[in-house]
Every structure is written in structure tokens, then in C-alpha cells.
Amino acid sequence: MRLLVQIALLALACVVLLAGRAAADELGNVPGEVPPPRAQAAAGAEGRAASAPEPALSNYMLEALLAGLAAGLVANYVRGSRQNAALAAFWEKTIGGVLRANFSVVGDGRQVLERDSASDMLFYASGRRHCRFAQGHLMLSARQDPVALLTDLVGGGREKLELEVVLDDDASSGFVFAAVPRKRARAVGRDRYDIATFASAASNSRVPENLVVFSECADATTQMLDSGLDELLADEGCLLEEIHVTDSPAEKPETHDFERVKKLLATIRLPAPTDDGARRFGETLAFVFYLVDYIAEAVRLRPESARKIAKSRDAAFREFARLAEQKKQEAVAKIAADKRRTELDEVGKMSPEQRRRWEERDRKRALKKSLGKRTRVVK
Ligand SMILES: *[C@@H]1O[C@H](CO)[C@@H](O)[C@H](O)[C@H]1NC(C)=O
């Protein structure tokens, strides 16, 4: 994708270059070209000798400028890609170490990170108790792409690891819990279906000021914080930016038979690539995997909390079941209406005798139907 943008930029630079050259050719009095009579008259008055070299010079400068820009973009792409590759190799060591200690299958066996673009790397691991698999997205700054880099800078830092662990279905009781930065709380509470539907912002003195915790019951909040999450989040240089536990989709489902999977999501900020940074990053990543075990083995909701959670799921998803049923009935009604319309079209083409017979049959059919309905009502 980024590469595409880069090529588009290059193409744009070339077009501008060509257009600039064409315009300069037209404006400048290139030898051999016959200037239009009026321009000739004007030029004659001022004296051609003085004005001729000047457009030629600006023409050259424009070309040089654009060629320089294109060369700069290419050089920046190569340099930025190399920087990111070196950074990815650095973080791959830490990520690979923690993954190998926690999963039996990591990456494709040879490498941990798979390059998706010059600033995006992906990984996948499976083979661990209490979860089906984990996948991650290491996002680096778009050093190779000045435009994307600018948007990154405007939108806040981008250097982070997004992690998704799909939990075993029976390993934990499903619930929704999240800790997000206060400045993201409004967007998360509005855009994530699971949070908007089931959770609300919980006030808890153990949660630092700069964070908002969304939860659906008090004992889930307490037990999640008991994992050591509260201490981790309260730490000054905490790298864990955002954490979600969920059993429901992030987006509003379209149908009632959507897939419900339990997930643990985490966003970990990348510190400066130093030994200390790598240690802290590795510890934070390992803590997220520890949470997988913790949720499965230590979180035990009270029966009344579990009942409340089940009840709110039923209420939310009953609506989907109703909508699905309504859609089905509408479809059936539409098919019947279509059939009726084609039948009437055919009747329109019949001879009078045929039509009379059809109408009689149709009347009988309608009568039978209404009788059937009435007997059903009587019963
Ligand atoms: C996960 O990785 C961390 C760090 O390497 C390690 O300390 C921990 O024991 C691992 N967890 C399991 C369950 O192997």
C-alpha cells in the first residue's frame, strides 16, 4: 500500500516535470519556433536579447528541482525501509524470545516477523494452553514515506505492537473488560459494539487518572486488577497502552448467527530500542500472556454476576434473532408477491375462456386459504 503511494508520488512528480517543461517550451522563445505576432511585437519593444536566456534558466531550475525531489523520495524510501528493517530485527529478538517461551509454534519456524510493508510486520503463534492462537502487528513509523510519516506525526506516535489472543471457548467465563487511555475512552466507548452494549466506565480508585476502565461487573474489575494489572498500569513508564478482554464482537453483527469468540487484545507501546527498552517491552508482552492463564485459571465471577452477564447477552442477541426472523418473513413475502405478479402477467396474455377458468380457480384457492386461517384461529 505504502509502495503504491510512493509510486503515485513519483508518477505525480514526473507529470509535473513534463507539464513544467511543456509550459516552459510554450512560454520561452525557443529558437526555431515562430512566436505569435502579438508576443513578437511586445518582445520586439523590450529587446529579445535580454529576455531570451531567462526562461531557459528557470526552465532548467524547475527540472532540476523536480528531479531532485524524485531522487530524494527514492533515497528516503530506501533509507527509511532500511532503518525499519533494522528496528524490526531488533524487536524480533525480544518478541521471538517471549513467544518461543510461551508457544510451541512460532511464525513459520524460521522467522518470527513477516514483513507486510516497510513499516508493518506481522506475527503468528499457536500451541499454548487456554488459547487457540496469538497474532500481532508491529507498527513502525513510516520512515520510508514522508506523507504517511507526516500523518503519523499529526495523529500521535505509531510505534506499537497490537496483539490479539483468541482464547479457548471453555477456558474462561465470557465478560467484557477494558482499560484504555482517557483520551481514547470516548471513541472506544462509542465505536466498540461490545463495550457500548455491555460495559460502562467503572470508577475504581486503583485505576490511574490517565486511564478509563470499562467493565460490566464489579468482581470482573477487581479480579482483573488483582492480576497485577493495576500496578503495571500505575507505573510511570508503563508500555501497556490498552487492554481488552471480550466475548463479543467489536462491531455490531449483521446477522444473529455471528461468531462469538473470546479474545484478549493488547496494545503495547514501543520504547526506544535500547537494552532496557527491550527488557521492559519483553516483560510487558510476557505479562499479556500471563493474563491468558490468569483469566482462565483465576478469574471466577460470582454466580449473580454470571447470571447478569448471561441475561444481558440474551437481551442483546434476542434482538438479532428477531431481526433475522423478520428478514426471513420479508423475503418469503417478497417471493410470494413476485410469484403472484408473474402469474397475473401470464393471465393477461390468456384467452377470455382461459382467464375465466383461472379466475374461478384463484377464487377457490383464496377461499380455501381464508378458511384454513379461520379454522386455525378457532382451534
Ligand atoms: C512466557 O514468557 C515469559 C518470558 O519469556 C516467561 O517468563 C514465562 O514463563 C512464559 N510463560 C509460560 C507459560 O511459559
Side-chain angles (χ1 to χ4, degrees):
M1 192 57 215
R2 286 263 146 59
L3 190 64
L4 266 181
V5 172
Q6 205 74 35
I7 290 171
L9 266 176
L10 262 181
L12 191 72
C14 289
V15 169
V16 172
L17 189 96
L18 289 176
R21 193 190 204 153
D25 278 354
E26 235 172 306
L27 289 177
N29 292 327
V30 180
E33 220 179 66
V34 183
R38 215 184 298 159
Q40 199 176 25
E46 282 162 24
R48 182 170 305 197
S51 64
E54 222 181 316
L57 185 66
S58 72
N59 179 2
Y60 169 76
M61 267 169 59
L62 181 69
E63 279 187 18
L65 206 73
L66 290 170
L69 181 70
L73 282 177
V74 172
N76 182 61
Y77 183 83
V78 172
R79 194 189 55 102
S81 302
R82 257 194 221 144
Q83 272 181 351
N84 273 353
L87 269 177
F90 178 86
W91 291 117
E92 184 167 29
K93 268 184 271 157
T94 309
I95 294 170
V98 178
L99 287 181
R100 283 195 198 93
N102 283 267
F103 291 86
S104 59
V105 182
V106 176
D108 62 1
R110 277 181 309 117
Q111 56 179 26
V112 178
L113 293 182
E114 187 192 322
R115 187 180 182 280
D116 191 44
S117 84
S119 52
D120 298 84
M121 330 282 151
L122 309 174
F123 67 77
Y124 180 91
S126 64
R128 187 184 202 280
R129 62 181 182 226
H130 306 315
C131 70
R132 288 195 228 155
F133 62 85
Q135 56 188 7
H137 180 183
L138 182 71
M139 302 160 88
L140 299 173
S141 277
R143 291 180 176 78
Q144 79 291 359
D145 180 346
V147 177
L149 189 62
L150 210 66
T151 41
D152 281 359
L153 283 179
V154 171
R158 182 180 186 270
E159 306 239 288
K160 59 189 174 188
L161 172 70
E162 284 188 350
L163 184 68
E164 174 182 299
V165 186
V166 173
L167 305 174
D168 276 346
D169 225 16
D170 52 2
S172 75
S173 55
F175 60 93
V176 173
F177 171 91
V180 302
R182 189 164 288 279
K183 59 178 191 292
R184 289 236 319 129
R186 185 193 286 263
V188 169
R190 183 190 56 213
D191 298 341
R192 278 197 67 109
Y193 170 77
D194 50 358
I195 291 182
T197 314
F198 302 119
S200 51
S203 58
N204 191 305
S205 57
R206 292 160 68 194
V207 179
E209 270 294 293
N210 57 337
L211 290 178
V212 172
V213 162
F214 288 100
S215 185
E216 49 182 328
C217 56
D219 48 342
T221 316
T222 323
Q223 293 184 40
M224 281 304 294
L225 292 175
D226 282 347
S227 64
L229 186 62
D230 57 348
E231 280 168 38
L232 185 84
L233 292 174
D235 183 15
E236 225 13 42
C238 172
L239 298 179
L240 188 63
E241 225 171 65
E242 205 166 314
I243 186 134
H244 294 254
V245 182
T246 187
D247 70 332
S248 294
E251 273 162 37
K252 196 174 167 126
E254 303 275 325
T255 64
H256 74 296
D257 55 353
F258 54 91
E259 201 191 5
R260 277 180 67 190
V261 283
K262 292 172 180 155
K263 282 182 187 172
L264 173 66
L265 309 170
T267 306
I268 304 175
R269 194 161 49 79
L270 284 191
T274 59
D275 285 348
D276 182 55
R279 183 186 53 77
R280 287 194 300 138
F281 180 79
E283 280 171 9
T284 312
L285 187 58
F287 178 80
V288 175
F289 295 135
Y290 158 72
L291 274 185
V292 173
D293 294 344
Y294 181 86
I295 291 169
E297 292 167 9
V299 175
R300 293 280 171 267
L301 300 184
R302 293 201 314 268
E304 53 269 39
S305 301
R307 266 201 300 278
K308 184 184 152 231
I309 285 172
K311 224 167 120 186
S312 61
R313 301 292 180 280
D314 277 353
F317 301 145
R318 193 176 316 129
E319 179 69 3
F320 285 111
R322 197 183 59 75
L323 284 179
E325 180 62 23
Q326 190 182 328
K327 277 226 177 84
K328 209 164 82 188
Q329 277 175 8
E330 276 168 14
V332 168
K334 189 175 174 298
I335 289 172
D338 284 351
K339 203 172 140 203
R340 180 76 183 166
R341 199 171 321 123
T342 47
E343 209 176 339
L344 286 178
D345 280 352
E346 271 163 32
V347 170
K349 289 178 214 138
M350 286 176 182
S351 67
E353 175 60 15
Q354 277 175 319
R355 195 180 305 176
R356 199 186 52 74
R357 251 186 284 151
W358 179 84
E359 274 165 4
E360 201 167 308
R361 232 182 309 134
D362 192 48
R363 221 178 357 256
K364 270 189 199 151
R365 235 183 323 177
L367 191 67
K368 213 160 136 197
K369 213 166 153 190
S370 71
L371 275 179
K373 260 190 198 147
R374 210 171 306 155
T375 45
R376 229 179 297 151
V377 170
V378 166
K379 252 197 265 173

